[in-house]
Amino acid sequence: MDKLIDLLPQLGEAAWETLYIVAASLVFGGIAGLVIGLGLYVTRAGSILENRVAFTVINVLVNIFRPIPFIIFIAAIQPLARLVLGTGIGNGALIFAISIGAAFGISRIVEQNLLTVSPGVIEAARAAGASPLYIIRTVLIPEALGPLILGYTFVFIVLVDMSAVGGYIGGGGIGNFAIQYGYRQFNPLVTWAAVLVVILFVQLIQFFGNALARKIMRR
């Protein structure tokens, strides 16, 4: 217990690092995933911008990158991180890898939630002469907003899991803290303290995500 008390400042710093890494990754990966998911939805057969070639290309790209285990992906993407960021290690490279890796998974969540929107609502907007961009902005996304929030809440929790392997490329966060001070120093109490922090994060995010989605879907 004394060792854990001594490590509380490092635990607090690791917790904030995890929040920073996950939040930044969610912003970049979330935006990219939304764009890719919209591309999948609007180009599929019968949709507002039907384009078989574009849909096939996007669909194949998503199917290639989405199943790659993140521990392999984070190593494979390092050369690109060096090219773009000038470094392949640290929190910046970790955020870069998580953002790209998560974007393809998020795109499927976006596509699936957009498919829940009633086709009749879309057809009514098309019949009224609305442009595709207007339909996306004022009909499609607002109608799917509640389920999308639940989907992004799920993604946040997945990103916490992905950030835990950041120590392999010199990144920080709760995962690195648990490995460095708990696992490698044979101190299970420290490891479980890190686990409890992660559980607390997940519970809080799930609670706020559920509450926000419920409020929007009741409108």
Side-chain angles (χ1 to χ4, degrees), residues 7 171-186 190:
L7 289 172
I174 287 294
N176 184 50
F177 174 87
I179 295 294
Q180 185 175 348
Y181 297 106
Y183 179 72
R184 288 179 180 163
Q185 297 186 18
F186 305 102
V190 172

Side-chain angles (χ1 to χ4, degrees), residues 25 70 73-74 77 81 92-102 162 169:
S25 302
F70 186 63
F73 184 80
I74 200 172
I77 205 71
L94 178 60
I95 292 170
F96 182 80
I98 294 177
S99 299
I100 294 179
M162 294 170 77
I169 59 168

